[in-house]
């Protein structure tokens, strides 16, 4: 099928004469797009601006936010800053040059601090009076100013050679790496540096000399691979810093998710662990067996916060620190709760025990009469806003404030205490900013106001798919929700080729996400119906539903996939059961590889992106060994094996290739160290050696994701060419 949309961009935005030498020489901005059809294409998707960070001014009157624009021609992006009134009026672009400007925050004097060229700058709120504050030779990777504006945390990377040894000085061109322990690479890079937080004084002349608050400690803060400045916070009196750290390295790091919240006192330079008692000794851990059955996760030890603890935030009165907390060590998908620490008594409490799902983000209220904390959580496949309130006895309870068929995120106070600044997106709408006025007494009266329309000029030209939900009974007697996304201009009398979407994670929600790769709107716009099941193993349906998948990747969750597609084929008359495909990434890619051996000719083609194929080899290839231990139960060489491990390795997709009979497209990034690219190569090679039609799309410069614009376009074109070839005959 030909692509009929043509993107016509302003010459000032995409068409430049001369050579492009560096990122900062490309001034990419909002693209003036004129579509020749009302159907989404890859080019239209990449023309959209992507809203990033945002913050309200101290008086609540202004909103500062970041937008990323992408040029397919130049294969680059440009991050720019905007300011507007809190009601969405008076929008003004602050970035006038070609360099990226990011990480903007308000200073106590009303100016704006931001990051550009690896340095911290400040400017007036109208963009004038720019001043360079830091002078580090471009080493700043993140920052956060203290409430009084007199100090600043600076994140910088330091050389780290505890795991990968430094090469001899007389061999400066040597490229070899001598590795002496595990955790020598993470996500998409070798670990030859680690981030540390530094503290510096701020004067009228700029930022002074910085002190490393982890001086001499071989640990990272923020944590790899995605941690940022949100993992640290200032106390309200600017005298203390709460920070997140997993104080482990090598083998111990690779098998553990045990990170803690530490309190650093700037006057005494003393550090206190808020999660564990003084003198805590971790029980001995077997690195080849799931921690589910080990002493570290025994009930009497769980009070010591042995799982992930991260993202601390001080209460407005300075008495409490709250953070996101998982209970068990080694289980990266454990339920994420709100832990609250009383700095006056040393007592810890958990505020969201009545919410049987994850807290994904939160902020303190400054009006505790109505709510203590606002947070975002997923329930029944949508991310909505909740509040922790206190009853007359001081017991916390959860109140749901929005009931939207969308995903909300990034909750923060609008600083007048009566409103919240948030972002919202869905299957048919990319992220925009909203002001929410919560009403904890009458949640149905919570007010919502959209204040940005970043991509209105494109969205107004596009026909939207329709989105429905349907519940179906699973083979174990449960109830499963699956989303149905129907093409634009949907005709219920027609039959459409249909895709089964297999979610990754394996414990990530199939909520109302907006993706620039796995985008349901663009899939539907190419004439496909999408069936997206919230199978066993996903959050938002209770902890029992979530945990069913661990140790059983090929059991109930696979039955759920087949239940969903069979129900759709039987009960939705517009689903063409003779033109079905299955697609997915990560665990979704694993699902595709496994379904290829058990589908009994339901599907006409498959697409697997970055999927696990050979679980025995993946056990030793992935860098985060805690994941495989928890999910598989133990190493593949153990004899005798526990039942889950025996089933896991026996059912690995690579052992089912003899049953493969259907065309498959395998996609993988060579810099993917979570699921190594050899997994995709094995699957492709196996298919071709069996005589099955197959293609391998491999990216030497991409990781578990596809981030570069031209690679993104190539991904989309390859994806749809493959589907069209087999499902539109």
């Amino acid at each position: 099928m030909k692509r009929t949309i043509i993107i016509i961009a302003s010459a000032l935005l995409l068409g430049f004469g001369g050579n492009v030498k560096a990122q900062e020489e490309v001034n990419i901005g909002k693209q003036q797009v004129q579509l020749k059809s009302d159907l989404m294409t890859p080019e239209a998707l990449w023309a959209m601006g992507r809203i990033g960070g945002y913050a309200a001014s101290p008086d609540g009157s202004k909103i500062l936010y970041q937008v990323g624009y992408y040029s397919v021609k130049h294969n680059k992006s440009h991050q720019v800053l905007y300011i507007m009134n809190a009601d969405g009026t008076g929008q003004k672009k602050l970035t006038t040059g070609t360099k990226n400007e990011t990480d903007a925050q308000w200073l106590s004097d009303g100016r704006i601090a931001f990051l550009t060229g690896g340095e911290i700058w400040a400017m007036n709120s109208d963009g004038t009076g720019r001043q360079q504050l830091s002078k580090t030779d471009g080493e700043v990777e993140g920052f956060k100013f203290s409430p009084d504006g007199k100090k600043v945390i600076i994140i910088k990377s330091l050389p780290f050679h505890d795991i990968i040894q430094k090469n001899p000085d007389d061999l400066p061109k040597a490229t070899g790496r001598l590795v002496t322990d595990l955790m020598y690479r993470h996500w998409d890079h070798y670990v030859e540096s680690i981030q540390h937080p530094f503290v510096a004084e701020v004067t009228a002349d700029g930022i002074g000399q910085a002190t490393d608050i982890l001086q001499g400690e071989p640990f990272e803060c923020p944590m790899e691979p995605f941690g940022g400045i949100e993992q640290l916070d200032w106390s309200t009196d600017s005298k203390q810093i709460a920070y997140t750290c997993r104080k482990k390295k090598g083998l111990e790091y690779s098998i553990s998710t045990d990170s803690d919240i530490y309190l650093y006192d700037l006057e005494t330079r003393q550090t206190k662990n808020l999660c564990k008692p003084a003198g805590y000794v971790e029980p001995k851990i077997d690195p080849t067996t799931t921690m589910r059955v080990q002493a570290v996760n025994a009930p009497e030890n769980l009070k010591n916060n042995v799982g992930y603890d991260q993202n601390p935030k001080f209460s407005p009165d300075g008495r409490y620190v709250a953070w996101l907390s998982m209970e068990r060590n080694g289980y990266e998908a454990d339920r994420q709760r709100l832990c609250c620490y009383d700095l006056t008594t040393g007592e810890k409490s958990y505020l969201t025990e009545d919410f049987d799902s994850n807290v994904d983000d939160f902020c303190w209220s400054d009006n505790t009469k109505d709510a203590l904390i606002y947070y975002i959580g997923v329930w029944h496949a949508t991310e909505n806003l909740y509040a922790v309130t206190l009853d007359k006895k001081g017991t916390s309870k959860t109140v749901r404030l929005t009931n939207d068929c969308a995903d909300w995120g990034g909750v923060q106070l609008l600083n007048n205490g009566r409103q919240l600044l948030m972002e919202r997106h869905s299957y048919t709408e990319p992220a925009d900013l909203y002001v929410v006025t919560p009403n904890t007494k009458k949640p149905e009266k919570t007010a919502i106001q959209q204040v940005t329309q970043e991509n209105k000029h494109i969205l107004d030209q596009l026909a939207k798919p329709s989105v429905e939900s349907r519940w179906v009974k699973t083979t174990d007697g449960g109830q499963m929700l699956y989303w149905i996304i129907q093409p634009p201009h949907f005709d219920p009398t027609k039959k459409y080729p249909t895709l089964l979407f297999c979610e990754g994670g394996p414990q990530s929600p199939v909520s109302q996400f907006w993706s620039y790769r796995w985008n349901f709107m663009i899939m539907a716009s190419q004439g496909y119906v999408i069936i997206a099941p919230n199978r066993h193993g996903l959050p938002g349906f209770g902890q029992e539903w979530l945990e069913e998948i661990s140790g059983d990747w090929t059991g109930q969750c696979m039955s759920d996939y087949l239940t969903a597609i069979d129900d759709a084929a039987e009960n939705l008359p517009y689903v063409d059961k003779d033109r079905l495909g299955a697609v997915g990434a990560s665990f979704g890619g694993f699902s595709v590889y496994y379904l290829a051996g058990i589908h009994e000719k339901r599907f006409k083609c498959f697409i697997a992106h970055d999927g696990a194929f050979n679980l025995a080899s993946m056990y030793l290839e992935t860098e985060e060994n805690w994941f495989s231990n928890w999910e598989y139960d133990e190493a593949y060489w153990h004899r005798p094996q526990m039942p889950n491990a025996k089933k896991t390795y026996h059912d690995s997709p690579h052992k089912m290739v003899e049953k493969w009979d259907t065309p498959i497209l395998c996609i993988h990034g060579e810099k993917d160290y979570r699921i190594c690219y050899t997994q995709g190569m094995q699957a492709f090679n196996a298919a071709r050696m069996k005589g099955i039609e197959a293609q391998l799309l491999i990216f030497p410069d991409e990781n578990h994701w596809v981030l570069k614009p031209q690679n993104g376009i190539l991904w989309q074109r390859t994806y749809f060419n493959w589907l069209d070839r087999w499902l539109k005959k």
Side-chain angles (χ1 to χ4, degrees):
M1 179 176 136
K2 292 184 178 179
R3 305 288 175 253
T4 55
I5 300 181
I6 299 176
I7 305 299
I8 303 175
S10 166
L12 292 175
L13 300 174
L14 293 180
F16 297 93
N19 296 322
V20 178
K21 297 180 180 179
Q23 167 69 57
E24 57 266 25
E25 295 182 8
V26 182
N27 190 5
I28 307 164
K30 183 174 289 190
Q31 301 176 25
Q32 305 305 309
V33 177
Q34 181 63 49
L35 309 181
K36 289 194 172 182
S37 168
D38 62 0
L39 300 178
M40 173 81 86
T41 64
E43 291 77 12
L45 189 63
W46 277 88
M48 292 182 173
R50 308 183 189 184
I51 291 181
Y54 45 91
S57 61
D59 63 2
S61 66
K62 302 286 185 181
I63 295 173
L64 178 67
Y65 66 102
Q66 177 182 325
V67 182
Y69 298 108
Y70 290 77
S71 166
V72 174
K73 175 180 178 180
H74 296 297
N75 208 31
K76 293 181 180 293
S77 66
H78 189 199
Q79 301 293 322
V80 303
L81 300 177
Y82 286 89
I83 193 171
M84 64 182 174
N85 297 323
D87 63 1
T89 63
Q91 184 189 81
K92 178 183 178 181
K93 184 179 176 183
L94 297 177
T95 301
T96 57
T98 57
K99 293 184 178 181
N100 287 334
E101 296 182 345
T102 66
D103 299 79
Q105 61 181 261
W106 292 90
L107 298 177
S108 56
D109 62 6
R111 291 190 300 163
I112 294 167
F114 62 98
L115 193 62
T116 185
E119 301 290 357
I120 304 171
W121 286 65
M123 61 181 166
N124 297 325
S125 60
D126 62 359
T128 63
R130 289 174 175 247
Q131 175 192 8
Q132 183 176 339
L133 300 182
S134 68
K135 296 179 181 178
T136 67
D137 294 326
E139 296 178 345
V140 180
E141 298 172 29
F143 68 93
K144 181 177 284 189
F145 281 83
S146 60
D148 63 10
K150 297 179 180 179
K151 292 178 280 293
V152 62
I153 300 169
I154 297 175
I155 304 299
K156 297 195 295 182
S157 287
L158 302 174
F160 181 69
H161 296 294
D162 281 27
I163 306 299
I164 300 176
Q165 300 301 294
K166 185 178 183 297
N167 284 338
D169 292 338
D170 64 338
L171 301 175
K173 295 183 179 180
T175 59
R177 294 182 173 98
L178 179 60
V179 178
T180 60
D181 206 344
L182 295 188
M183 219 63 236
Y184 52 90
R185 60 184 191 177
H186 215 152
W187 189 250
D188 61 2
H189 61 278
Y190 282 84
V191 181
E192 297 175 285
S193 65
I194 55 174
Q195 290 186 322
H196 269 201
F198 293 73
V199 177
E201 299 287 335
V202 180
T203 68
D205 296 327
I207 294 172
Q209 186 173 357
T211 300
D212 184 353
I213 70 174
L214 286 178
Q215 179 68 42
E217 297 189 51
F219 312 117
E220 65 196 21
C221 177
M223 296 190 303
E224 292 268 27
F226 307 123
I229 198 65
E230 75 283 350
Q231 295 197 343
L232 303 97
D233 197 33
W234 284 98
S235 62
T236 53
D237 61 6
S238 302
K239 295 181 179 180
Q240 295 177 310
I241 295 170
Y243 68 89
T244 308
C245 191
R246 175 168 34 199
K247 297 200 173 183
K248 299 176 182 291
K249 64 178 184 177
L251 173 63
E252 287 188 341
Y253 184 121
S254 76
I255 62 171
S256 175
T257 60
D258 185 6
S259 61
D260 292 326
I261 305 300
Y262 294 85
L263 191 65
Y264 177 81
D265 188 287
L266 273 71
E267 294 180 356
T268 65
R269 297 192 178 184
Q270 298 297 306
T271 300
K272 178 181 179 181
N273 188 331
L274 300 185
C275 292
K276 293 179 173 60
Y280 172 79
V281 177
E282 182 178 78
K284 183 177 176 57
I285 295 172
D286 179 351
T288 65
T289 303
T290 175
M291 291 191 195
R292 188 188 296 109
V293 298
Q294 299 197 49
V296 68
N297 283 325
E300 63 272 14
N301 201 46
L302 294 181
K303 65 180 182 295
N304 296 310
N305 290 62
V306 297
Y308 267 129
D309 292 278
Q310 57 186 327
N311 300 4
K313 296 181 183 181
F314 284 89
S315 61
D317 61 7
R319 177 173 174 174
Y320 302 96
V321 180
W323 63 82
L324 301 177
S325 177
M326 293 185 185
E327 187 175 46
R328 290 165 287 182
N329 196 349
Y331 188 21
E332 67 172 9
D334 207 353
R335 184 165 67 94
Q336 195 157 249
R337 309 161 297 165
L338 268 178
C339 181
C340 184
Y341 184 93
D342 189 330
L343 293 168
T344 62
T345 67
E347 294 181 356
K348 288 182 295 189
S349 58
Y350 297 91
L351 305 180
T352 53
E353 294 302 271
D354 61 340
F355 184 63
D356 198 13
S357 191
N358 292 329
V359 175
D360 295 321
D361 191 21
F362 73 98
C363 73
W364 284 93
S365 167
D366 64 358
N367 179 11
T368 55
K369 291 181 180 180
D370 293 329
L372 184 63
I373 287 178
Y374 297 104
Y375 70 89
I376 303 298
V378 61
W379 189 252
H380 285 184
T382 59
E383 291 263 1
N384 274 283
L385 174 66
Y386 297 82
V388 175
T389 62
L390 298 177
D391 62 21
K392 293 180 180 179
K393 296 181 180 180
T395 303
S396 63
K397 70 173 184 176
T398 287
V399 176
R400 182 169 179 163
L401 298 177
T402 62
N403 190 18
D404 200 1
C405 187
D407 280 4
W408 290 88
V411 58
Q412 56 182 271
L413 286 179
L414 195 55
N415 290 334
N416 58 17
R418 297 186 303 275
Q419 295 177 312
L420 302 171
L421 178 60
M422 304 177 66
E423 63 103 345
R424 176 191 181 278
H425 52 85
S426 70
Y427 289 156
T428 60
E429 297 172 313
D432 268 307
L433 298 183
Y434 289 73
V435 171
V436 178
T437 306
N439 190 325
T440 58
K441 306 299 183 185
K442 297 181 179 180
E444 68 278 5
K445 292 191 176 181
T446 292
I448 298 171
Q449 178 189 2
Q450 185 173 353
V451 293
T452 65
Q453 298 186 73
E454 173 60 34
N455 294 297
K456 185 177 187 300
H457 61 298
I458 298 177
L459 294 172
D460 281 353
Q461 301 178 64
L462 294 173
K464 286 187 177 182
S466 54
V467 179
E468 298 177 356
S469 63
R470 179 177 170 87
W471 291 83
V472 62
K473 187 175 182 179
T474 57
T475 57
D476 66 346
Q479 291 291 321
M480 175 176 61
L481 180 153
Y482 69 83
W483 295 108
I484 306 162
I485 301 91
Q486 300 162 343
H489 311 300
F490 176 67
D491 182 350
T493 66
K494 290 178 57 179
K495 285 193 175 292
Y496 292 86
T498 299
L499 306 178
L500 173 68
F501 171 74
C502 302
E503 176 60 41
Q507 290 156 302
S508 302
V510 183
S511 55
Q512 284 284 314
F513 60 80
W514 176 273
S515 169
Y516 284 92
R517 187 168 64 260
W518 292 95
N519 185 284
F520 289 165
M521 183 169 175
I522 195 172
M523 294 182 201
S525 295
Q526 307 308 305
Y528 293 96
V529 170
I530 300 96
I531 303 299
N534 277 268
R535 51 156 174 81
H536 280 74
L538 301 187
F541 299 88
Q543 195 68 8
E544 182 179 351
W545 182 278
L546 174 77
E547 295 196 2
E548 192 281 336
I549 197 171
S550 292
D552 189 23
W553 281 18
T554 60
Q556 188 59 51
C557 64
M558 294 299 165
S559 295
D560 291 349
Y561 284 137
L562 297 179
T563 293
I565 197 65
D566 287 349
D567 180 77
E570 181 179 349
N571 295 299
L572 305 179
Y574 49 85
V575 169
D576 189 340
K577 65 181 181 181
D578 294 322
R579 292 188 294 163
L580 303 179
V583 301
S586 196
F587 178 82
F590 165 87
S591 301
V592 167
Y593 289 144
Y594 184 76
L595 290 172
I598 68 165
H599 71 110
E600 296 179 341
K601 300 190 182 300
R602 285 176 174 85
F603 300 105
K604 291 296 185 291
C605 71
F606 294 105
I607 299 179
H609 176 114
D610 287 356
F613 173 72
N614 183 331
L615 297 186
S617 63
M618 183 182 160
Y619 181 85
L620 295 177
E621 287 178 346
T622 191
E623 85 280 32
E624 293 184 343
N625 297 101
W626 66 76
F627 175 81
S628 297
N629 275 339
W630 193 277
E631 295 301 313
Y632 308 167
D633 268 10
E634 60 183 331
Y636 63 83
W637 59 80
H638 281 189
R639 297 293 184 272
Q641 286 186 326
M642 290 186 276
N644 282 348
K646 186 175 182 179
K647 182 178 188 296
T648 293
Y649 294 118
H650 179 271
D651 290 351
S652 178
H654 80 285
K655 293 187 175 182
M656 305 185 70
V657 172
E658 64 186 56
K659 298 179 181 178
W660 282 18
D661 58 7
T662 304
I664 188 166
L665 166 64
C666 307
I667 307 174
H668 227 107
E670 288 192 30
K671 296 184 74 175
D672 183 355
Y673 301 152
R674 185 63 41 85
I675 301 177
C676 293
Y677 73 95
T678 51
Q679 298 280 314
M681 291 177 65
Q682 289 180 63
F684 169 74
N685 292 354
R688 290 303 302 130
M689 292 178 74
K690 275 213 68 188
I692 295 170
E693 289 278 359
Q695 290 182 353
L696 173 66
L697 175 60
I698 194 159
F699 294 99
D701 54 348
E702 298 286 5
N703 55 35
H704 202 58
W705 300 327
V706 178
L707 302 177
K708 296 177 174 62
Q710 290 193 15
N711 282 342
I713 296 288
L714 177 61
W715 190 98
Q716 295 281 5
R717 290 179 183 175
T718 305
Y719 180 91
F720 288 117
N721 285 340
W722 185 257
L723 293 177
D724 291 355
R725 176 180 173 184
W726 301 105
L727 301 183
K728 290 189 174 180
K729 293 181 179 178

